[in-house]
Amino acid sequence: MRLRGAFPYLPRVSTPPAGDADRSTPVPDPIATAGPRGRGRPRDPSRDAAILGAAYDVLAETGYEDMTLSAVAARAGAGKATLHRRWPTKEALVLAVIAHVGPPPEARTLPDTGDLRSDLLALVDSAWLGGAASRLRGLKGLTSAALHSPRLAQALQHEVVEPYTEAYRGVLRRGAQRGQVAPDADVGTLAEIVPALATHRLLFADAPPERGYFETVIDDVLLPACARIPGAGS
């Protein structure tokens, strides 16, 4: 499984050789990792969502290493025992957070303005996870979790990173159909440019890039690469 690219600081998770698919480790089911249900009232899904939202916020603020179940419980207004009944470990809780975050809505319905640049900016301006700045802070927290656990890295790749990058690939493939992307362009690599550079800026400048940064990356890096002369440099 390829974990670098759009999020280049995630660890690599090995992929089993061909024919060994039956021995591969599936992405953990966050429901299956939750603690056993005791007797009493059924679990309230809205309460779960509130706790997972609080966990996402704490993770974005502190990173995985400094995240505690006590801090999440306090943020959610829940008892620590409530969290332990649902998710007995921090890893189990973050697995559930990743599933709760899920893919961007644009992974299902691509923006379609008729113009490649506008479609790319629509991905940047997505309201997913509170908009670009909030989203990148949250993804930074999730990336810190992935660095501590191969299970979390695998789940993040499957649930978030791959669908997020696929949205860029989809926009670029449609741009190629319109003649806005060179026919021999490597769409897979081009799709990683915006999220990878944004992640790099966030991790090393310790601040989410502003919209002007995304416009510069799209206008000065991505679009020129898309429109390169076919076969140039070969």
Side-chain angles (χ1 to χ4, degrees):
M1 179 177 294
R2 186 165 176 263
L3 285 178
R4 302 195 180 200
F7 290 78
Y9 306 101
L10 291 180
R12 294 188 184 277
V13 174
S14 60
T15 302
D20 287 356
D22 57 325
R23 295 200 295 270
S24 63
T25 302
V27 175
D29 182 347
I31 302 301
T33 61
R37 286 285 297 153
R39 295 181 179 180
R41 292 180 298 176
R43 180 179 295 176
D44 180 358
S46 66
R47 190 65 182 136
D48 281 6
I51 294 172
L52 294 174
Y56 174 83
D57 290 342
V58 171
L59 181 60
E61 294 169 8
T62 68
Y64 185 75
E65 187 171 357
D66 293 330
M67 176 188 182
T68 66
L69 295 183
S70 296
V72 174
R75 179 70 61 90
K80 189 175 177 181
T82 299
L83 267 70
H84 276 292
R85 282 196 299 270
R86 287 166 162 81
W87 306 285
T89 66
K90 182 164 69 171
E91 183 185 60
L93 174 59
V94 175
L95 279 172
V97 169
I98 291 170
H100 181 68
V101 167
E106 290 78 12
R108 295 182 293 272
T109 305
L110 293 174
D112 188 6
T113 66
D115 174 71
L116 177 58
R117 182 181 188 272
S118 297
D119 287 348
L120 291 167
L121 286 173
L123 292 178
V124 170
D125 293 334
S126 170
W128 179 49
L129 300 179
S134 174
R135 177 168 65 247
L136 284 169
R137 281 191 292 266
L139 292 175
K140 180 181 180 181
L142 292 173
T143 299
S144 74
L147 293 172
H148 283 80
S149 164
R151 296 177 73 206
L152 295 177
Q154 185 182 26
L156 182 61
Q157 169 72 18
H158 178 76
E159 298 284 349
V160 179
V161 175
E162 178 56 29
Y164 183 51
T165 310
E166 178 58 29
Y168 278 92
R169 284 196 291 265
V171 164
L172 291 171
R173 282 194 293 263
R174 192 169 55 204
Q177 294 170 356
R178 295 175 180 147
Q180 297 171 315
V181 176
D184 67 340
D186 183 350
V187 168
T189 298
L190 293 175
E192 296 172 349
I193 289 176
V194 174
L197 289 180
T199 303
H200 181 277
R201 171 63 68 93
L202 178 67
L203 290 175
F204 291 99
D206 200 27
E210 297 181 353
R211 193 177 191 275
Y213 176 81
F214 289 101
E215 291 177 344
T216 298
V217 170
I218 289 171
D219 291 340
D220 295 350
V221 181
L222 180 52
L223 290 179
C226 288
R228 67 187 180 83
I229 299 173
S234 60

